[in-house]
Amino acid sequence: MSTVDFLASEITLRYGTVQRARGCFLYTRKGIRLTDMYQEGGRAILGWGGGPSFTVFKNTMNRGLTGSFDTDAAARVSKAVSSLLAGERVLFTFTDRTTALRAALAFSKENTSFWRPWNQEGIDWRTVNAVIIVPPLPWASPLFFVAVKPESVDSYAASGMAVPESARIPAALAAAVSRSIYDMIAALQFREEKNWFSYDTVLTKYWTRKGPYLYPKTGEEQYGAFILHCLDCELVVSPDYNVPSIVPFGADKGVFTKLKNSPFEV
């Protein structure tokens, strides 16, 4: 069983299936509101509602753009990613993390990085040759983009190596992804440290916080028990020890009352 399947099963066991998801909250069949700090590994970091992204998705479907023919959607994703990274990029699409990483390293073994908003390392993404991007779209299916500088692609092709084949994704999904990236560009302008540090009084007992990202202080051998303890406190944390949880943007600090009153021994 995967870590995500484990988490989903434990949520259902305690609270029933999820009936609705909005913002950073999951609403279950048993009438319990869970605070989501996993956020699909960052795909739902802008909230579960989807907002304009899902409106674009619906509108694109309504135009009948659901086939395998070419549309302008892929070019729009490429343009959005170039705007996000503040420089022209050649975009490759993959449906699994390993293949995306392998492709990025093939283009630039020494200068490849995973993109993460509000990174605390001070990375200038304009200088990174190959950037792997998980779109901020609240969608469970895996989707990874590798954004490569044009000169790196040219150099790779000139060496005689075959350029990796990019996956084709439905136009409606591509349109939604494109909009989600522009939504992220906007969010980068107003979400900042003040939106996260106010939760430190509760969270830093259990996590080391870097921006909105929470890295567990528990040992890996304790982490499974910690996940379940948090679920009992109506908090959904990352099921993977190596994937950080995320500060729930917009949640009242009261959502941590049960964890505060029922502490986990780290």
Side-chain angles (χ1 to χ4, degrees), residues 7 11 23-26 34-42 44-45 48 199 202-204 206-207 212-215 223 226 230-231 233-239 243-249 251 255-256 259:
L7 180 63
I11 291 173
C24 60
F25 298 110
L26 307 177
L34 304 176
T35 302
D36 181 20
M37 300 169 63
Y38 173 47
Q39 299 175 19
E40 211 67 30
I45 196 170
W48 276 108
Y199 301 95
V202 177
L203 298 183
T204 53
Y206 303 104
W207 290 277
Y213 303 105
L214 301 169
Y215 298 86
Y223 192 64
F226 180 63
C230 287
L231 270 183
C233 295
E234 300 175 4
L235 302 172
V236 179
V237 301
S238 173
V243 175
S245 296
I246 299 171
V247 176
F249 180 80
V255 300
F256 301 112
L259 179 61

Side-chain angles (χ1 to χ4, degrees), residues 15 17 27 44 53 65 96 115 131 141 143 150 164 212 226 252 260:
Y15 304 112
T17 54
Y27 299 83
S53 297
L65 299 182
D96 72 270
W115 179 82
V131 182
S141 300
L143 191 60
F226 180 63
D252 186 272
K260 187 175 180 179

Side-chain angles (χ1 to χ4, degrees), residues 51-192:
S53 297
F54 284 166
T55 300
V56 169
F57 183 89
K58 179 181 178 182
N59 291 342
T60 305
M61 289 189 67
N62 287 342
R63 293 202 303 273
L65 299 182
T66 57
S68 56
F69 38 74
D70 288 335
T71 69
D72 293 334
R76 288 173 182 151
V77 176
S78 183
K79 183 178 179 181
V81 169
S82 293
S83 295
L84 179 68
L85 300 179
E88 185 182 355
R89 296 283 172 158
V90 178
L91 199 67
F92 299 87
T93 304
F94 302 95
T95 55
D96 72 270
R97 185 181 188 277
T98 300
T99 305
L101 178 58
R102 187 181 300 122
L105 291 173
F107 283 117
S108 183
K109 187 175 182 180
E110 304 300 328
N111 195 7
T112 285
S113 184
F114 278 90
W115 179 82
R116 179 171 286 170
W118 302 287
N119 76 88
Q120 302 296 297
E121 292 77 22
I123 298 174
D124 183 350
W125 296 107
R126 294 171 298 180
T127 67
V128 182
N129 289 340
V131 182
I132 305 167
I133 297 172
V134 176
L137 183 72
W139 191 273
S141 300
L143 191 60
F144 300 86
F145 297 112
V146 176
V148 188
K149 286 187 174 184
E151 55 268 30
S152 294
V153 176
D154 293 341
S155 176
Y156 184 83
S159 70
M161 302 290 288
V163 174
E165 184 176 353
S166 185
R168 179 187 292 270
I169 61 174
L173 179 56
V177 164
S178 179
R179 180 53 199 249
S180 77
I181 292 171
Y182 285 117
D183 290 343
M184 173 56 75
I185 292 172
L188 288 169
Q189 307 307 309
F190 67 83
R191 291 194 191 185
E192 52 188 339

